[in-house]
Amino acid sequence: MFSIIDIETCGGKFDYRRGRIIEISILLHDGLTVVDKFTTLINPECYISPVFIRISGITNEMVANAPRFYEVAKKTIEMTEGTIFVAHNAGFDYGFIKSEFAHLGYKYMRDTLCTVRLSRKLLPGHSSYSLGKLCGALGIPIEGRHRAEGDATATAKLFDHLIYQKSMHPQYKNQGIGEIMTRRVDKIKKYILQKLPEECGVYYFLNSEGKIIYLGKSTNMYSRALSHFNAKTPKGRKLINDLYDVDFILTGSELIGLLVESAEIKKHKPEYNRVRKTDTHTHSIDWWTDDKEIINFNIVPYGEAVNSLCSFSTYLSARECLDRWIDEYTLCIRYCGLTSDDAICFNHHIKKCNGICADEEGIEEYNLRANKLLEQHMYKNNNFLIIDKGRTTQEHSLIFIEDGHYKGYGYMDINTQVMSPEQLTESIKKSPCYPDLDDIIRGWMNGKSLKIVKVDKNG
C-alpha cells in the first residue's frame, strides 16, 4: 500500500511560529488505484504571510476554524500506517510532517518514495521534473495547482503512469517500485536509524568486519547519526560507504558521554576519528613541589604526566600556554623547566622574574602566585562525586574524582538508601587514566551549577 501525500505550508521549512502545515491531502493507493482519501485545511497557529497566500491561495481566514495539526495527527498515523509514504519531492513533505509530529513528542517514521527521483529513473530526458511541468509534458491535468488535494491527485496519476512505465521497462519490469528506488545507502540508513534511540550516549559505527570505524557522542544519537547521512564531504561519504552496523551505549549524562567518547577514541583509534587533532594529545603541563617546597611546572610527554594541569595536541601549543602563565603569574622560567636547574633565569635579568632563582624572593611569596595558578586549573576538592542525570528517570549518574583525578563513573537507583558518600563509590566503573579527561571535567564544571558530594577517603 502507498499513501500519496501533498501538503501546503506557510514556510519554506518547519518553524513553530512561522512555518507550519496549512493543508494536507492523503490518498491511499493499493498499487492499482486510489481506494481512500483524506483532505483538510489545518490551522497553523501562526500567521500566513502574503507570499504563501499568493502561492496556495489559502488565507488566514480560511484556516481560522480549521483543525490544528494535533487534531488530525491520529488520522494521519492511521492512514499511513504500514504504507510507503509517496510524494513529489518527498523530503519536503515527509520532513514537515515529521517535524509537526516531533513537536507533539511523537517519532513519526515511514518508508518514503519520491516521484521526482523515480521519474528521473524511468522517464529520463525531461528538462524539468517539477510536478507542474512534468505533468504538463505527460498530458496529466492538475485541477487545483498548489492545493493539497489537487497536487496529490496529480501525483497519484503520475504514480500510475510510472508504474506502467516500470512494467514496460526491460531492466525494471520484474522489480518492485521499492527495489528500483532503494540504494544500499538507503537500506543502511534505515537500518542504522532504527537501532539508535533519541537519547544521550555514545554510538559506534562498524564496518563489514565488525571493526569500529567511527564513534561519537550526542545528546540525541538518532539525530546525530542522521546528520552523517547528509554529509557532503568526500570523507563523510566514504564513511557511509564503509558503514555496515552500529552499536551504542546510553550514558544519560552528557558529561559521561564526553568522557567515554574521549577514552574510547584513544582505545580503539577509529579510522574516521583520527583527523580530530583535539583527540590526540602529545604533551601536558605537569606540576610538582621540589625538595625546597617550591612549586614547579614543566612540559612533559602526555603519557608521562603525573599531575597534569592541561593537555595539548602539540608541544608548541603547550609552550604557548606555559609562556602566558609565566607572564601572567610572574613565574620563574627555571622552575618551569625552561632553563638549567642551577641557573639564574634570563627573565630575572630583564626584571620579569622576582628572583626566586637568585634567592631574592621568598619561597612563600613565590608559591602564593603559583598556587593562584593551580587554583584556576585544579579541582577545589581532591575527592568528590558529581551527581548527574541517569539513563532513566529512576537513576542518577555518578562521576568520581579521587586524589584530584578522574577515576570513573557509575549509576545508582534514585531509591537507594545511601548511608555515606563513600558508599556511592562502590558503583563506580574504573576508567583508564588519561590526563585530558580531567580537562574535560574541569571545563564542564566551569560556570555550571552541579550537585557535588565530597568523599572522605579516611572515613
Side-chain angles (χ1 to χ4, degrees), residues 107-127:
K107 186 175 179 179
Y108 181 82
M109 293 185 69
R110 298 290 185 268
D111 291 335
T112 62
L113 190 153
C114 178
T115 51
V116 174
R117 284 181 52 205
L118 186 58
S119 296
R120 290 182 186 277
K121 184 162 284 193
L122 293 174
L123 304 171
H126 284 270
S127 59

Side-chain angles (χ1 to χ4, degrees), residues 266 275-281 313 436:
K266 294 175 181 62
V275 296
R276 295 172 55 177
K277 293 182 179 179
T278 54
D279 290 325
T280 305
H281 295 84
S313 57
D436 64 297

Side-chain angles (χ1 to χ4, degrees), residues 216-362:
K217 159 260 154 195
S218 179
T219 55
N220 185 323
M221 291 184 283
Y222 174 91
S223 294
R224 183 69 185 91
L226 180 60
S227 72
H228 287 287
F229 289 94
N230 298 326
K232 304 298 183 185
T233 64
K235 185 172 285 290
R237 290 195 294 267
K238 189 173 186 300
L239 168 62
I240 296 304
N241 287 336
D242 291 343
L243 175 61
Y244 272 78
D245 203 353
V246 67
D247 199 359
F248 68 91
I249 59 171
L250 295 175
T251 63
S253 161
E254 186 176 0
L255 175 55
I256 292 178
L258 288 166
L259 296 169
V260 171
E261 177 193 39
S262 182
E264 289 286 86
I265 286 173
K266 294 175 181 62
K267 177 181 177 182
H268 298 288
K269 297 180 174 57
E271 176 184 352
Y272 291 95
N273 286 99
R274 290 180 184 174
V275 296
R276 295 172 55 177
K277 293 182 179 179
T278 54
D279 290 325
T280 305
H281 295 84
T282 61
H283 292 83
S284 294
I285 298 179
D286 217 4
W287 77 275
W288 75 96
T289 302
D290 63 19
D291 53 8
K292 295 180 183 179
E293 300 298 321
I294 299 173
I295 295 173
N296 285 245
F297 302 94
N298 197 10
I299 298 173
V300 299
Y302 176 79
E304 296 178 14
V306 177
N307 294 306
S308 174
L309 291 178
C310 288
S311 304
F312 305 88
S313 57
T314 65
Y315 173 84
L316 180 61
S317 57
R319 178 61 187 269
E320 288 175 346
C321 180
L322 185 56
D323 286 341
R324 286 197 304 272
W325 290 354
I326 289 170
D327 290 339
E328 185 177 351
Y329 295 95
T330 318
L331 301 177
C332 176
I333 61 175
R334 172 174 161 182
Y335 293 102
C336 290
L338 300 178
T339 188
S340 61
D341 292 344
D342 56 357
I344 296 175
C345 78
F346 176 74
N347 277 7
H348 179 54
H349 294 299
I350 60 174
K351 309 300 182 183
K352 293 182 69 175
C353 168
N354 293 345
I356 183 76
C357 54
D359 296 325
E360 294 178 11
E361 181 182 31

Side-chain angles (χ1 to χ4, degrees), residues 193-206:
L193 296 180
Q194 282 181 337
K195 291 186 72 172
L196 288 174
E198 295 189 70
E199 297 183 51
C200 183
V202 176
Y203 60 94
Y204 302 77
F205 282 173
L206 313 175

Side-chain angles (χ1 to χ4, degrees), residues 7-19:
I7 60 171
E8 299 303 322
T9 70
C10 58
K13 61 180 180 179
F14 180 84
D15 185 314
Y16 181 67
R17 292 181 177 84
R18 291 180 305 197

Side-chain angles (χ1 to χ4, degrees), residues 407-451:
K407 290 299 178 183
Y409 70 93
Y411 297 93
M412 178 192 70
D413 190 287
I414 61 173
N415 297 314
T416 300
Q417 288 191 340
V418 179
M419 305 304 294
S420 69
E422 291 68 39
Q423 179 186 340
L424 297 175
T425 64
E426 296 174 2
S427 62
I428 297 299
K429 175 184 177 182
K430 298 295 182 180
S431 169
C433 181
Y434 298 113
D436 64 297
L437 299 184
D438 288 310
D439 297 346
I440 291 172
I441 295 172
R442 286 190 290 261
W444 182 264
M445 294 178 69
N446 187 29
K448 287 186 174 67
S449 178
L450 301 171
K451 185 175 181 181

